[in-house]
Amino acid sequence: MKRLNLAKLLSITVISSIFLMSCEDNDDNLDNDTGTGTYLYTSNNANGDITYYNVTDMSDVTTTALLTSSTAADGIYYNPDEDVIVQASRSNFALEAYTNTSMSSSGTSISVSIAGSTDMTSPRELAVNGDFYVVADNADVDGDPDTADGRLYIYENTGSSFTLRNVITTDFKLWGIIFEGDDLYAIVDTTNELAVYTDFLSNTTDAAVSATKTIAIEGLVRTHGLTYDATSDTMILTDIAEATNGQDDGGFHVITNFMTKFSSTTDGGTLALTDQIRVAGSETMLGNPVDVAFDNATETVYIAEAGNNGGRILAFNNIGSGGNIAPVLNYDLASASSVYLVKY
Ligand SMILES: [Ca+2]
Ligand SMILES: [Ca+2]
Ligand SMILES: [Ca+2]
């Protein structure tokens, strides 16, 4: 017994020393402003698993794959405060959340902790505002594929489920959506247009609602993904161009001072290409870029590319005036469908 206690005491001492040493390391890190990690979460339509990349040091990226029961998914989201990953399952037609997975090693099978009701037909991007989770569904609504429409499913996360509050039917086709404050920005699929619903969650009943304002983005063929960074007032939109060309006709547009430019463009008007930076061309590996995320601190654009080489996760920086830029990171991810950047 005595020997065991001594061993225990020794191991506690060793652990304490390690703990103290790591605290010192953390202090050093904080002094150097490197205490925060940057992570890119991704979903895909090839196997429905969740892959995240630690991109804190872009010369030493680590990849973690978490295996799910979904076989196709979109709309990835991660909340580090609650350690919860959420994605829209395109095989189970519901929101699915996975909690306490941050310590899971790559290759671990994870199970759904919080499930939503199976209301949707073709869920795509997810936008989160507090406890409200909005999913863009791009299935045809009225049985006529020639009339443009779509549905925005508004769920409330109760902690034990995603409860459907109401459904908004749109008069345009949906794909990417993002909240800025209480306003929901949505790309208008099959076009080069961007729409906004101001105070979107104030639409509390099932209804057909038109966007508050819609503008066209000059130089863009067919947009799909979008992201907005409020700190730098930067909007980024992807261009898949022709869906049938998944290899080399895609791109993305960076719009700085976005809010001023958006406000000064009239409803139905066009935001000029001269007010944007376009990245496209054979070096970019962009064929069908379906989603985008932005790190303002490093001015890095992350892309979920669904087509090129079967699917990739790409990162671009030193964008300058745009053009035919090669990505600085390039990871194969079959049928990549969405990206979400988070720091913690
Ligand atoms: Ca229709
Ligand atoms: Ca394309
Ligand atoms: Ca996204």
Side-chain angles (χ1 to χ4, degrees):
M1 283 299 276
K2 218 173 199 175
R3 191 175 285 174
L4 267 179
N5 282 342
L6 183 64
K8 215 182 211 176
L9 184 67
L10 274 171
S11 52
I12 287 168
T13 309
V14 169
I15 288 165
S16 305
S17 307
I18 291 167
F19 180 70
L20 284 170
M21 280 164 68
S22 57
C23 281
E24 280 165 13
D25 284 344
N26 280 341
D27 285 342
D28 288 341
N29 286 343
L30 285 172
D31 290 341
N32 294 325
D33 282 327
T34 52
T36 304
T38 306
Y39 301 85
L40 186 75
Y41 284 74
T42 72
S43 63
N44 73 75
N45 282 319
N47 60 20
D49 293 341
I50 294 160
T51 307
Y52 68 88
Y53 303 82
N54 182 340
V55 292
T56 312
D57 177 355
M58 288 181 70
S59 63
D60 185 22
V61 174
T62 57
T63 304
T64 305
L66 301 174
L67 315 186
T68 76
S69 59
S70 282
T71 55
D74 205 330
I76 193 78
Y77 169 76
Y78 182 63
N79 179 337
D81 297 331
E82 294 169 13
D83 191 7
V84 56
I85 307 173
V86 184
Q87 64 178 0
S89 173
R90 289 181 51 75
S91 49
N92 297 330
F93 309 105
L95 283 177
E96 294 181 336
Y98 303 85
T99 55
N100 301 319
T101 59
S102 60
M103 301 304 283
S104 300
S105 53
S106 192
T108 302
S109 291
I110 57 174
S111 49
V112 175
S113 317
I114 306 169
S117 47
T118 54
D119 312 292
M120 297 178 285
T121 308
S122 180
R124 297 292 181 182
E125 182 66 306
L126 166 66
V128 180
N129 184 336
D131 290 334
F132 290 100
Y133 287 63
V134 179
V135 187
D137 188 304
N138 76 329
D140 174 55
V141 178
D142 64 356
D144 179 358
D146 292 332
T147 56
D149 45 37
R151 275 171 291 207
L152 293 161
Y153 286 83
I154 304 172
Y155 291 92
E156 185 169 6
N157 183 355
T158 64
S160 56
S161 72
F162 293 97
T163 306
L164 184 63
R165 188 188 73 171
N166 64 306
V167 182
I168 299 301
T169 301
T170 62
D171 50 10
F172 58 90
K173 292 188 178 185
L174 290 162
W175 201 282
I177 52 172
I178 191 166
F179 272 109
E180 166 49 22
D182 292 327
D183 299 340
L184 186 78
Y185 287 83
I187 69 94
V188 181
D189 192 19
T190 75
T191 77
N192 65 341
E193 294 171 4
L194 173 66
V196 65
Y197 287 87
T198 56
D199 202 9
F200 176 72
L201 291 174
S202 66
N203 299 293
T204 56
T205 57
D206 292 355
V209 183
S210 294
T212 313
K213 178 176 178 176
T214 305
I215 69 165
I217 310 297
E218 188 184 16
L220 204 155
V221 179
R222 177 182 177 178
T223 186
H224 240 45
L226 81 170
T227 193
Y228 177 72
D229 175 64
T231 308
S232 59
D233 190 16
T234 303
M235 176 70 83
I236 301 174
L237 298 162
T238 69
D239 185 0
I240 68 164
E242 299 303 321
T244 48
N245 178 345
Q247 297 309 308
D248 57 14
D249 68 339
F252 63 86
H253 287 209
V254 180
I255 308 171
T256 56
N257 299 315
F258 172 76
M259 285 301 171
T260 305
K261 291 171 183 171
F262 187 77
S263 310
S264 58
T265 308
T266 54
D267 186 19
T270 299
L271 200 158
L273 184 58
T274 50
D275 280 336
Q276 311 169 47
I277 297 163
R278 177 174 170 88
V279 174
S282 54
E283 296 294 314
T284 64
M285 300 184 181
L286 294 168
N288 285 339
V290 289
D291 195 21
V292 57
F294 182 58
D295 185 348
N296 172 49
T298 59
E299 298 189 333
T300 305
V301 173
Y302 294 92
I303 296 280
E305 164 59 46
N308 189 284
N309 197 39
R312 298 179 188 274
I313 296 298
L314 303 170
F316 298 84
N317 59 25
N318 297 314
I319 287 159
S321 56
N324 189 9
I325 302 169
V328 289
L329 290 182
N330 165 25
Y331 291 96
D332 288 344
L333 185 71
S335 302
S337 58
S338 71
V339 285
Y340 185 82
L341 191 79
V342 61
K343 298 193 177 198
Y344 58 91

